[in-house]
Amino acid sequence: VLIIFIFFSTWVGSKIDNPIIQIAAASKAMARGDLSKKIDVKSDDEIGDMAKSFKQMSGSISNVLDEVNMLISSATAGKLDARGDSGKFQGEYANMVKGTNQVLDAVINPLNMTAEYVDRISKGDIPQIITEEYKGDFNEIKNNINQCIDVMNSLLADTNYLIDASKSGEIEKRSDENKYIGAWPDLISGVNSMLASVSEPITDLRKVLG
């Protein structure tokens, strides 16, 4: 009887210890970010259920990581419209994928807006200023684009002013280059100088003829 009891106790102990050892090892590995540890438990008791639940948890985390890595790879490759499918997950795992999508939207939407506005300005299509609210660095980008739009509109207004004045015979009219900074004063100064080179001989000729 004692031998049978010892054998039975050893067998029961192995049935319990081995799965728990596997789960403990897999848990430690998961804590280090290693999801490669496999659990081989085939019993249908409570320990087997625990092992199955652990395997499901590990699989869910692995699937979420695959989804996030897909988004990272897509963004790195310039595929900025890629989004994760949160419908494939439940609970906080779904929220994690949704949150990653929201991060991408928060970054990519202002970038797309910036690309569109810069493209339009480069083609001479000056858009209206941006009124949408952004935060942090994106708001600074928005303000810089709006300043660019203001400068472009001011340059166009000054150029049209000189053109209309010339058409009306008011060839002594000039635009104020001091309103600008950087290279823009040179542009307005150049137009003023061009008009001066034309208007001064005409003014002298008018005086002589008078």
Side-chain angles (χ1 to χ4, degrees), residues 74-91:
S74 297
T76 303
K79 300 175 183 177
L80 303 182
D81 56 346
R83 294 294 181 273
D85 183 6
S86 60
K88 296 191 299 185
F89 306 96
Q90 296 178 343

Side-chain angles (χ1 to χ4, degrees), residues 132-144 146:
E132 189 172 349
E133 288 295 326
Y134 292 100
K135 296 180 180 180
D137 293 336
F138 295 125
N139 196 60
E140 183 176 351
I141 293 174
K142 180 196 78 172
N143 291 337
N144 290 338
N146 283 343

Side-chain angles (χ1 to χ4, degrees), residues 10-21:
T10 303
W11 179 78
V12 171
S14 64
K15 291 286 286 184
I16 296 174
D17 288 346
N18 288 338
I20 292 178
I21 290 172

